Amino acid sequence: MQKIKKRLFYLLAALVVIYLVLLIPNANKRSGDTGAKGQAFAWQQDSIWYKLEQDFRNAITMDKSTLDSSLASLKMKTTATLLSLENKQSEYADSNLYVLQQQFFQLAPLVAVQQQELNWYLAFYNRFRNYIKQQSQHWNMQQAGSRNAVYRLLYGLRAATEEVVLHSNDAKLSAAMVENDVPTQTPAASVFGMKVHSGDILVSRGGAEVSALISRGNDYPGNFSHVALLYVDEITKQPYVVEAHIEKGVAVSRIDQYEKEKKLRVMVLRPRPDLPAIVADPMLAHKAAKRMYEAAFHRHIPYDFKMNFSDTSAMFCSEVASFAYQSQGVNIWQSSSTISGAGVVQWLHDFGVENFVTQMPSDLEYDAQLSVVTEWRDPATLFKDHLDNAVMDALLEQANNGEKVGYNTWALPGARIIKGYCAIKNYFGGIGMIPEGMNATTALRNQYFVARYSELKEKTTLLANAFQQQQHYRPPYWQLVKMAEQAAATSKD
């Protein structure tokens, strides 16, 4: 009996020692870039946003004839401004570009009330965006002025358009809100009912909390969190999607699998047909996609949490597209993405990121080498996208104010044991609870982050619902951000 007690004591002591050893925290030293040398874009135009909201309230009370007259007059003026621009080449500092944008903004509250004009507004948005993309081919995108101009114009137009769409009661409103004819000779397929071609780049926004972080944690906050590459077999015409997953690295999936994954929006980008490389080889985009498709089967490519696009031994989602096209001599992401906010850098570092001059999915929208073919977004989920963004913006502001991403220290030993089991599964080709390349501490930080985000989103949703009941319209984005900031300030641990 005494021997049994002694053995139990030694066993318990050994377990305690193992537990204490597993409690030792990881070294949290940064290796690599410690943050981009840049500055996050700031709108600093709150007065304009609130003026537009007041214009919307005024438009609600207008009689129909006055509203119709105001709309017709402003439509004529806006159309004339764009016509005058289309007949010349514009530089990024051309004041007429911003005059037209302001006119487009002024139309938004009127169209939100007079929904019969929505299709015209969407068509004008598409036309204006195409013009900016075309003109930006001649701008030096390495200059901050050019980058700020493209972002201010394109993101601003998108934001105004989506605010109008959110006021639509038309259940038949097409989810494909942008459709452009961008000629290509590569094999075709269909995604979400849209015609797409081999080599097209699918930029999407997921519904997970980390998707919002990827979309907004950038010097140029955007609306997209994931990049995938479409490959269509030239013989079977079977379409496939090549993409990097956090859980399993680079993988190939069927198109129906891609469509089933939760997405709040999808945009299809295609190289411009007049690019010298495409003119020289019209099948270049297909060859790029095929190169990445074959690479996915040739070797296991783990997910790159460090976001180092110059090292292809592991790849994150953007790198799949950039590597594929670079292999054919085309460098997309004309300007590298930058992340310079100290708090945002620290948060991303806590999740394993080590490179803060990188390639973020949202920035691909502003690359002049790529044309927007079509954009799919479900109007029913568009508000969720805006709500998620507002919550993340508030959290990132807290990050820059010093808030940390913590974790449950006492859960670390258990998480490390689970990670060990997952590593064994990874070795034999399986997928574990903790992704390959992510350590136990990072997994616990992710748990903490999700809980903090969910708490803040719940409180912001309650405030948004109260606003809608009181004002009888959905809160616009600037109001959502204000609500999320209010919730964040009152819910700190």
Side-chain angles (χ1 to χ4, degrees), residues 413-465:
R416 282 176 164 161
I417 291 171
I418 293 171
K419 176 59 185 177
Y421 171 72
C422 292
I424 294 171
K425 287 192 70 175
N426 295 154
Y427 181 80
F428 289 102
I431 300 173
M433 290 174 57
I434 300 177
E436 180 183 15
M438 178 184 286
N439 63 38
T441 303
T442 303
L444 291 175
R445 289 187 191 279
N446 185 65
Q447 263 188 357
Y448 176 96
F449 167 77
V450 169
R452 176 81 169 111
Y453 180 94
S454 298
E455 174 199 15
L456 186 53
K457 183 176 177 179
E458 183 179 352
K459 293 182 177 180
T460 306
T461 301
L462 291 174
L463 292 171
N465 290 340

Side-chain angles (χ1 to χ4, degrees), residues 134-324:
Q134 181 187 45
Q135 294 303 305
S136 65
Q137 298 171 33
H138 313 293
W139 303 347
N140 182 357
M141 297 309 295
Q142 303 307 314
Q143 291 182 350
S146 297
R147 290 196 68 183
N148 287 343
V150 169
Y151 178 78
R152 181 181 295 277
L153 290 164
L154 292 183
Y155 186 89
L157 297 182
R158 170 188 292 284
T161 302
E162 293 184 357
E163 289 296 340
V164 174
V165 168
L166 282 172
H167 289 284
S168 173
N169 294 318
D170 186 359
K172 297 179 181 178
L173 181 65
S174 172
M177 297 181 185
V178 177
E179 295 186 58
N180 294 312
D181 181 18
V182 182
T184 179
Q185 297 180 27
T186 66
S190 175
V191 179
F192 297 113
M194 304 179 295
K195 186 178 181 181
V196 290
H197 285 261
S198 190
D200 283 355
I201 302 169
L202 310 178
V203 191
S204 61
R205 169 64 181 271
E209 296 79 6
V210 72
S211 297
L213 176 59
I214 294 169
S215 295
R216 308 303 291 178
N218 184 355
D219 283 350
Y220 296 89
N223 297 88
F224 299 94
S225 59
H226 187 64
V227 173
L229 193 60
L230 181 73
Y231 168 68
V232 182
D233 189 287
E234 62 266 34
I235 298 175
T236 66
K237 307 303 180 186
Q238 183 68 37
Y240 300 95
V241 175
V242 189
E243 54 190 331
H245 297 273
I246 288 176
E247 301 83 4
K248 56 185 176 183
V250 176
V252 174
S253 57
R254 300 189 312 271
I255 207 70
D256 61 312
Q257 294 173 314
Y258 179 82
E259 291 175 331
K260 286 177 183 176
E261 294 171 356
K262 185 176 181 180
K263 293 177 178 64
L264 303 182
R265 59 170 85 229
V266 178
M267 181 169 63
V268 181
L269 297 171
R270 182 177 301 158
R272 292 195 341 261
D274 61 345
L275 283 180
I278 301 294
V279 172
D281 183 1
M283 295 296 287
L284 183 147
H286 173 64
K287 291 177 181 178
K290 187 173 184 177
R291 171 74 175 85
M292 194 63 244
Y293 173 82
E294 292 174 343
F297 288 106
H298 180 69
R299 65 182 174 94
H300 171 58
I301 307 174
Y303 189 84
D304 181 11
F305 287 94
K306 296 179 181 180
M307 294 178 66
N308 181 2
F309 63 86
S310 63
D311 179 3
T312 58
S313 61
M315 293 187 188
F316 59 105
C317 68
S318 299
E319 199 174 351
V320 168
S322 65
F323 168 78

Side-chain angles (χ1 to χ4, degrees), residues 19 34 305 335 405 463 474:
Y19 181 80
T34 57
F305 287 94
S335 302
V405 179
L463 292 171
R474 279 175 167 163

